[in-house]
Amino acid sequence: MKISFAELSAPKAGTIVVGVGEDRALTPIAAALDKEAGGALVRAMASSRFAGKKGQLLAVLAPANLTVGGIVLAGLGKLADVDALTLQALGGSLVAHLNGAGESEATVRLGALEGKLSPAEAAANLAFGARLRTYRFDKYRTRMKAEQKPTLKKLAVQSDAATAAKKVFADLDRLADGIFFTRDLVSEPGNILYPESLADQAMTLAELGVEVEALDEKKMKKLGMGALLGVGQGSVRPPRLVVMAWLGADDKKAAPIAFVGKGITFDTGGISLKPGAGMEEMKWDMGGSGTVIGLMKALAGRKAKVNVIGVVALAENMPDGNAIRPGDILTSMSGQTIEVNNTDAEGRLVLADALWYTQDRFKPRLMVNLATLTGAILVALGSEYAGLFSNNDELAERLTAAGRAVGEHLWRMPLNDAFDRAIDSDVADMKNISGDRNAGSSIGGVFLQRFVNGVPWAHLDIAGMAWSKKDAPTVPKGATGYGVRLLERFVADHYED
Ligand code: BES
Ligand code: MN
Ligand code: ZN
């Protein structure tokens, strides 16, 4: 779908979209169109449930005196409250609606809004939401019928600030590139995406000026990464640790901020095998690393003025004659030993070495890791919030605020000494699970905390967020790309020159 920006003018063809506020309050542009259409818009509203509420859409047949194909009224809610998220959601819902109706061309006519947004920001955010909803993962569908394919080819967004809108959109477009890259990676099945091929995907960021380096087993062995290597040893696909560096700050030597991702390209559970039903979902157990890679793409794409390190720990967790066994003891890069009482608690093992390595080599100002770490976070927070665990209140607050601003919500969960004591082991420095199922997500959190060496750190448990079973306005079902928007905002708000 091609997105363009133009000044306000009457379109000759396609569908026209105009905004309506709460209680059917026509925006000036909608009022002018209604007049031209002999009151057809007001009559159509009167005979429907459409009330101009946020998210409501009403399709109206164009009256005979207009050349356009159709008119869509878009509910904006209280006009004074229209914000970026409202317009993103509208853009996304419109794309779904117009594709559902088989339209090929549409023009959104956005006048000046009463809210806090400039006309340029309004137009750009609508376009951003529209693009996010166009995402599809169709590459393996070779027999798609015409009616299964999207029809919308052109979306024009009119405002009285087209040039400025295009400029604002340019950065959002790079952000969408990053989100789409994440969605692509997370969608790929385990036979296509495994540690080496995922590392190859990360390497493509070199085109944008990201320095990318992949550590193989030999290098990891030398560094003593026994925890990460232990998880990977049951697979014929060797593990990798990929380091990405985007040095965009004026001072290339300034301490970076670091993002670390869990990248289990398939999680069978290992010898502590998962039940068969639903196991196919574990192809997206690399969601944390997918987000880190997409985030690096978004930041490098818009040449963010910040030094950022991305580290992803890649392994496939398989049951095998060579796999780690329950009870095995691994020595991590930190020197701390880990009794592996459940091979299905593998994410924390690969992150233990990735976190230690990141702080040891890069001395970052802070680290944020992302991981589809626990089923328990789904029990607690469903698909509304990712779990946030942190040893630093300021960092936790900044992340929460960024999430609220972009509509990717976080809810802080506790780490405390009692949880930490629950993973003390009788035979090693710690064990990778506690004695019971209680507080499973916090147990994962305190385990990771033992590998951050006091650096300001946050762990985002995104097990409930990386994949969605239902369409949302800007997130079609499937891989969501959760976290890219949130962390891009977090960086933009606090860490750029
Ligand atoms: N990848 C899973 C967590 C998961 C579950 C992600 C459901 C997405 C959806 C993780 O490796 C895992 O298996 N965790 C175990 C931990 C337990 C053994 C302590 C879990 O949550 O059951
Ligand atoms: Mn697991
Ligand atoms: Zn896992």
Side-chain angles (χ1 to χ4, degrees):
M1 185 182 80
K2 196 178 165 304
I3 295 174
S4 61
F5 296 92
E7 296 291 319
L8 290 161
S9 72
K12 300 268 177 305
T15 299
I16 304 190
V17 183
V18 293
V20 177
E22 201 163 65
D23 298 327
R24 300 176 176 166
L26 295 180
T27 55
I29 285 187
L33 187 63
D34 181 57
K35 202 166 163 204
E36 229 184 304
L41 304 188
V42 169
R43 284 197 301 279
M45 287 195 289
S47 59
S48 85
R49 282 182 162 179
F50 178 88
K53 287 205 183 108
K54 224 197 253 190
Q56 281 186 317
L57 296 177
L58 178 67
V60 183
L61 286 177
N65 65 320
L66 298 185
T67 57
V68 294
I71 295 168
V72 172
L73 303 183
L76 294 168
K78 277 206 182 69
L79 290 173
D81 295 344
V82 172
D83 58 9
L85 290 180
T86 308
L87 288 163
Q88 289 173 21
L90 169 57
S93 303
L94 272 176
V95 164
H97 171 84
L98 294 166
N99 275 318
E103 302 290 350
S104 59
E105 213 178 301
T107 302
V108 184
R109 308 195 66 197
L110 268 184
L113 292 160
E114 298 165 31
K116 313 136 213 160
L117 291 177
S118 71
E121 287 168 325
N125 276 285
L126 185 134
F128 177 56
R131 178 164 180 222
L132 288 178
R133 187 60 182 272
T134 63
Y135 179 78
R136 322 216 358 139
F137 188 75
D138 284 341
K139 62 193 278 204
Y140 299 112
R141 304 180 63 180
T142 68
R143 301 289 188 275
M144 265 197 341
K145 300 192 188 80
E147 68 262 29
Q148 295 175 304
K149 292 182 183 159
T151 55
L152 192 65
K153 297 285 180 287
K154 284 189 198 164
L155 182 72
V157 186
Q158 292 188 348
S159 67
D160 55 15
T163 312
K166 207 185 254 179
K167 260 205 201 114
V168 177
F169 181 66
D171 280 353
L172 293 172
D173 210 18
R174 299 292 76 76
L175 177 54
D177 291 343
I179 294 165
F180 279 23
F181 194 31
T182 300
R183 289 178 182 174
D184 279 343
L185 296 173
V186 173
S187 301
E188 288 285 0
N191 61 326
I192 305 292
L193 202 81
Y194 43 91
E196 288 163 289
S197 62
L198 183 45
D200 289 344
Q201 287 297 314
M203 293 285 177
T204 64
L205 298 188
E207 288 165 23
L208 297 172
V210 179
E211 295 161 37
V212 191
E213 178 190 354
L215 308 192
D216 62 11
E217 283 172 293
K218 215 173 122 194
K219 289 212 184 95
M220 289 191 272
K221 204 169 261 170
K222 216 163 157 195
L223 288 163
M225 295 186 172
L228 199 168
L229 288 167
V231 173
Q233 78 186 35
S235 171
V236 296
R237 313 287 204 184
R240 289 288 183 269
L241 184 109
V242 177
V243 179
M244 294 158 280
W246 167 253
L247 303 179
D250 291 332
D251 177 5
K252 308 278 174 249
K253 293 219 163 62
I257 60 177
F259 298 99
V260 179
K262 167 178 172 180
I264 300 299
T265 58
F266 197 83
D267 182 14
T268 64
I271 297 299
S272 311
L273 193 63
K274 286 183 180 296
M279 202 201 277
E280 68 281 358
E281 294 199 349
M282 288 299 108
K283 74 170 185 179
W284 48 263
D285 207 20
M286 35 58 66
S289 65
T291 296
V292 170
I293 296 168
L295 173 68
M296 296 303 288
K297 179 161 182 148
L299 292 171
R302 68 167 176 78
K303 303 205 181 316
K305 294 186 76 63
V306 58
N307 295 340
V308 187
I309 299 295
V311 173
V312 291
L314 313 178
E316 185 181 50
N317 189 22
M318 295 293 261
D320 179 79
N322 194 42
I324 46 169
R325 290 151 289 254
D328 280 5
I329 297 174
L330 303 174
T331 302
S332 67
M333 182 184 174
S334 70
Q336 300 175 95
T337 56
I338 306 162
E339 180 190 9
V340 180
N341 282 349
N342 189 322
T343 65
D344 198 11
E346 84 297 338
R348 62 200 71 181
L349 297 175
V350 301
L351 285 171
D353 281 339
L355 286 166
W356 187 267
Y357 174 78
T358 301
Q359 59 80 31
D360 182 57
R361 174 167 169 194
F362 297 104
K363 311 283 182 268
R365 295 170 63 176
L366 60 91
M367 298 194 284
V368 178
N369 77 255
L370 297 105
T372 48
L373 205 74
T374 65
I377 203 70
L378 272 141
V379 176
L381 303 176
S383 294
E384 297 302 319
Y385 300 85
L388 161 65
F389 301 81
S390 183
N391 61 3
N392 183 290
D393 291 342
E394 183 188 59
L395 175 56
E397 274 155 31
R398 287 179 171 187
L399 287 164
T400 306
R404 201 177 298 122
V406 303
E408 292 188 333
H409 298 284
L410 292 172
W411 195 264
R412 192 165 181 189
M413 304 282 284
L415 300 167
N416 78 8
D417 290 346
F419 293 143
D420 185 74
R421 279 195 301 276
I423 56 169
D424 283 338
S425 160
D426 292 337
V427 293
D429 297 331
M430 71 193 84
K431 50 194 181 187
N432 75 332
I433 57 168
S434 67
D436 59 39
R437 293 158 20 108
N438 298 340
S441 301
S442 287
I443 294 295
V446 293
F447 183 95
L448 298 178
Q449 190 174 29
R450 291 192 182 202
F451 297 89
V452 303
N453 208 10
V455 172
W457 153 84
H459 153 52
L460 311 187
D461 192 336
I462 61 169
M465 309 307 290
W467 192 269
S468 165
K469 290 188 172 145
K470 58 176 203 301
D471 287 329
T474 59
V475 187
K477 70 179 177 193
T480 61
Y482 178 93
V484 178
R485 270 188 273 183
L486 188 168
L487 295 173
E488 193 271 344
R489 175 61 70 100
F490 167 74
V491 170
D493 281 353
H494 301 288
Y495 302 100
E496 290 194 56
D497 290 340

